[in-house]
Amino acid sequence: MRLRIADELLGADSLDSLTAVQLRLLVDELLSDYAACLDNGEIDRWPDFFTDDCTYKVIARDNHERGRPLATILCESRGYLLDRVRAVQETSYYLPRQLRHVVSGLRITGHDGDEIRAEANYAVFRTMPDEETRVFNVGNYMDSIVLDGTRLKFKTKICIYDSILIPNSLVYPI
Amino acid sequence: MRLRIADELLGADSLDSLTAVQLRLLVDELLSDYAACLDNGEIDRWPDFFTDDCTYKVIARDNHERGRPLATILCESRGYLLDRVRAVQETSYYLPRQLRHVVSGLRITGHDGDEIRAEANYAVFRTMPDEETRVFNVGNYMDSIVLDGTRLKFKTKICIYDSILIPNSLVYPI
Amino acid sequence: MRLRIADELLGADSLDSLTAVQLRLLVDELLSDYAACLDNGEIDRWPDFFTDDCTYKVIARDNHERGRPLATILCESRGYLLDRVRAVQETSYYLPRQLRHVVSGLRITGHDGDEIRAEANYAVFRTMPDEETRVFNVGNYMDSIVLDGTRLKFKTKICIYDSILIPNSLVYPI
């Protein structure tokens, strides 16, 4: 029994033959797997969701909309992601925290053969030791997704967050 | 390549032949498009989601459950929606704000040929300039949806919110 | 017109022949119905979502991950659930409250013939009379789901919440 929608639908070499319904279900599964990876604290698996030449960016909405380059996190290849993983794992003053992603409103906004563009809203909750759970970071994803072998991966993932006030430690990816 | 599930599934003149799976996916897409319209600040496109003879209502749960008519927002046709758009756009003391909808738990609760009834939970987060993102308005949608030409539109959309304490400016639609 | 995906897809005696797409849609519908039951205050219907020999547990993440047995709520059969329903309904000092579940990130993590294992993130918001809506309890579900007659039911439902600080009255199920 095949459990993953990707295993069921992604047999061919291209995304061309997929229907709108199939694309929607595939990207939904990818976003769910991505969120679970981060929420389960498996940050060493996080770079596997990206292509080698990926761009990963976390940026305030204001900067994004005005075309300002200033981003809170900017990784311009998978190597950068690996560096960030190491940074998170080795930062000693970094208190343990629990993130929890709630993602909804997925929309497939573009598709040209090899590349899917998708957007979704996210709300990330954070729980620090001995504190109540709080709203941590809210915004939307703007993703470009490609088929890498038999797996969907992010070629671009931009996390555009709504509040310029973020807690002083946006170390962990969104 | 057709990107929208609606373009893929809504060929016929009626909703009669759709399966439960197809209805679920179509309404999910409609709700996602609706949320994106509001969250992207494209309020001038908001009335396009409604039929000409629509009812749009934002009401406290307590009033809704006791059958009290008092609603925070009540628009009884598409013309009312256009008035509200103008009010939002022309209100000078209205500070810019960023809304973010997270919608889940969609259920198709009724379907009689031309009309789909659907419910879903929503949480709207709001970010004011230089403030942290906060929980703004939480509740559930009770929608009646019809086919208007080749597009699904809301004939009725009731937003029933859980807290009678709402920030003093529920100007923007939910 | 069949409205429920379960009525459409669950004809056979076993779950064996279902595709990954169908499983995903069926469990999503089950979780939506479950949340609506609790959010609508229909707690007397809550035990119907479980098998007779079910386990229902609400536990802090820290205890769950360290294998500690201490749970905030532990019901080891449907009879326990009925007891809890009665407790909730008869507790006189229990102020009325409105819960609202937002669930996302559903993943089918296992499937062996008769049993589906699924996980999803949840955020529950709570509104007390004359108070603002607040984040109440955030975490993830770990469920085992079986076919009971023609209906999917929880054989096991574990709600693992992120913060050990919970409001002093986790009386109502999550």
Side-chain angles (χ1 to χ4, degrees):
Chain A
M1 173 56 54
R2 289 177 301 184
L3 295 170
R4 300 191 69 249
I5 293 173
D7 294 338
E8 193 165 285
L9 299 181
L10 288 180
D13 311 43
S14 105
L15 303 172
D16 260 339
S17 56
L18 295 170
T19 65
V21 167
Q22 290 172 326
L23 282 173
R24 171 73 176 67
L25 291 164
L26 282 165
V27 175
D28 183 69
E29 183 177 74
L30 176 66
L31 292 179
S32 296
D33 287 342
Y34 179 87
C37 171
L38 293 178
D39 295 345
N40 290 341
E42 303 173 277
I43 194 171
D44 52 310
R45 288 203 306 113
W46 173 63
D48 297 341
F49 285 91
F50 294 86
T51 62
D52 286 340
D53 63 341
C54 68
T55 299
Y56 174 75
K57 184 154 61 168
V58 180
I59 187 169
R61 177 163 315 282
D62 206 42
N63 288 339
H64 176 76
E65 289 181 350
R66 298 183 191 208
R68 293 186 192 134
L70 185 65
T72 306
I73 300 179
L74 176 60
C75 300
E76 295 186 295
S77 77
R78 198 162 165 279
Y80 280 73
L81 302 181
L82 295 168
D83 282 352
R84 176 153 289 261
V85 170
R86 201 159 39 239
V88 169
Q89 288 173 332
E90 293 177 359
T91 306
S92 57
Y93 61 81
Y94 182 72
L95 277 174
R97 68 211 52 208
Q98 176 66 50
L99 298 185
R100 186 69 48 198
H101 288 66
V102 175
V103 178
S104 91
L106 168 60
R107 296 183 308 136
I108 307 297
T109 54
H111 179 206
D112 56 5
D114 292 333
E115 190 169 335
I116 306 165
R117 284 181 297 287
E119 297 189 27
N121 283 352
Y122 70 81
V124 181
F125 299 87
R126 188 179 68 164
T127 309
M128 302 295 284
D130 304 318
E131 291 186 11
E132 288 190 11
T133 299
R134 297 184 59 187
V135 176
F136 174 59
N137 193 273
V138 168
N140 72 310
Y141 290 132
M142 288 187 66
D143 299 336
S144 145
I145 297 159
V146 295
L147 193 58
D148 187 356
T150 58
R151 186 171 165 187
L152 290 179
K153 295 197 175 178
F154 297 111
K155 187 175 192 301
T156 309
K157 188 169 190 74
I158 310 181
C159 314
I160 308 164
Y161 56 89
D162 292 344
S163 173
I164 56 170
L165 288 186
I166 53 169
N168 54 9
S169 55
L170 188 53
V171 177
Y172 215 87
I174 292 294
Chain B
M1 174 56 53
R2 288 177 301 183
L3 294 170
R4 302 190 69 251
I5 293 174
D7 294 338
E8 192 166 286
L9 299 181
L10 286 181
D13 312 45
S14 106
L15 303 172
D16 260 338
S17 55
L18 296 170
T19 65
V21 167
Q22 290 173 327
L23 282 174
R24 172 72 176 68
L25 292 164
L26 282 165
V27 176
D28 183 70
E29 183 177 77
L30 176 66
L31 292 179
S32 296
D33 288 343
Y34 178 87
C37 170
L38 294 179
D39 295 345
N40 291 341
E42 303 174 276
I43 194 171
D44 52 311
R45 287 203 306 114
W46 172 64
D48 296 341
F49 285 90
F50 295 85
T51 62
D52 285 341
D53 62 342
C54 68
T55 299
Y56 174 75
K57 184 155 59 167
V58 180
I59 186 168
R61 179 163 315 280
D62 206 43
N63 287 340
H64 176 76
E65 289 181 351
R66 299 185 191 208
R68 294 186 192 133
L70 185 66
T72 306
I73 301 179
L74 176 60
C75 300
E76 295 186 297
S77 77
R78 198 161 164 278
Y80 281 73
L81 301 181
L82 294 168
D83 282 352
R84 177 152 288 262
V85 170
R86 200 159 40 238
V88 169
Q89 289 173 332
E90 294 179 357
T91 306
S92 58
Y93 61 81
Y94 182 71
L95 276 173
R97 68 212 52 209
Q98 176 67 49
L99 299 186
R100 185 69 48 197
H101 290 65
V102 175
V103 178
S104 91
L106 169 60
R107 296 183 308 136
I108 307 297
T109 54
H111 179 205
D112 55 4
D114 292 333
E115 189 168 337
I116 306 165
R117 284 181 298 285
E119 296 188 27
N121 283 351
Y122 70 81
V124 181
F125 299 88
R126 188 179 70 166
T127 308
M128 302 295 283
D130 303 318
E131 289 186 13
E132 288 190 12
T133 299
R134 298 184 59 186
V135 176
F136 174 59
N137 193 272
V138 168
N140 73 310
Y141 290 132
M142 289 187 67
D143 300 337
S144 145
I145 297 159
V146 296
L147 193 58
D148 187 356
T150 59
R151 186 172 165 185
L152 290 179
K153 295 198 176 179
F154 296 111
K155 187 174 193 300
T156 310
K157 188 169 190 72
I158 309 180
C159 314
I160 307 164
Y161 57 89
D162 292 344
S163 174
I164 56 171
L165 289 187
I166 52 169
N168 54 10
S169 55
L170 189 52
V171 177
Y172 215 88
I174 293 292
Chain C
M1 174 54 55
R2 288 177 302 183
L3 295 171
R4 301 191 69 250
I5 293 173
D7 295 338
E8 191 165 288
L9 299 181
L10 287 181
D13 311 45
S14 105
L15 304 172
D16 261 338
S17 56
L18 295 171
T19 64
V21 167
Q22 291 172 327
L23 282 174
R24 171 72 176 68
L25 292 164
L26 282 165
V27 176
D28 183 70
E29 183 177 74
L30 176 66
L31 292 179
S32 296
D33 287 342
Y34 179 86
C37 171
L38 294 178
D39 295 345
N40 290 341
E42 302 174 278
I43 194 172
D44 52 310
R45 287 203 306 114
W46 173 64
D48 297 340
F49 285 90
F50 295 85
T51 62
D52 285 341
D53 63 342
C54 67
T55 299
Y56 174 76
K57 185 155 60 169
V58 180
I59 187 168
R61 179 163 313 282
D62 206 42
N63 288 340
H64 176 76
E65 289 180 351
R66 299 184 191 209
R68 293 187 192 132
L70 186 64
T72 306
I73 301 178
L74 176 61
C75 300
E76 294 186 296
S77 77
R78 197 161 165 280
Y80 281 72
L81 302 181
L82 295 169
D83 282 351
R84 176 152 289 263
V85 170
R86 202 161 38 240
V88 169
Q89 289 173 331
E90 294 178 358
T91 306
S92 58
Y93 62 81
Y94 182 72
L95 277 175
R97 67 211 51 210
Q98 177 66 49
L99 299 185
R100 185 69 48 198
H101 288 66
V102 175
V103 178
S104 90
L106 168 60
R107 296 182 309 136
I108 306 297
T109 54
H111 180 206
D112 56 4
D114 292 334
E115 191 169 336
I116 306 165
R117 284 181 298 286
E119 297 188 28
N121 284 351
Y122 70 81
V124 181
F125 299 88
R126 187 178 69 165
T127 309
M128 302 296 283
D130 302 320
E131 290 185 13
E132 287 191 12
T133 298
R134 298 185 58 186
V135 177
F136 174 59
N137 192 274
V138 169
N140 73 310
Y141 291 131
M142 290 187 67
D143 299 336
S144 146
I145 297 159
V146 296
L147 193 58
D148 187 355
T150 58
R151 186 171 164 185
L152 290 180
K153 295 196 178 181
F154 297 111
K155 187 174 193 301
T156 310
K157 187 169 191 75
I158 310 181
C159 313
I160 307 165
Y161 57 89
D162 292 343
S163 173
I164 56 171
L165 289 186
I166 53 169
N168 53 10
S169 55
L170 189 52
V171 178
Y172 215 86
I174 293 292

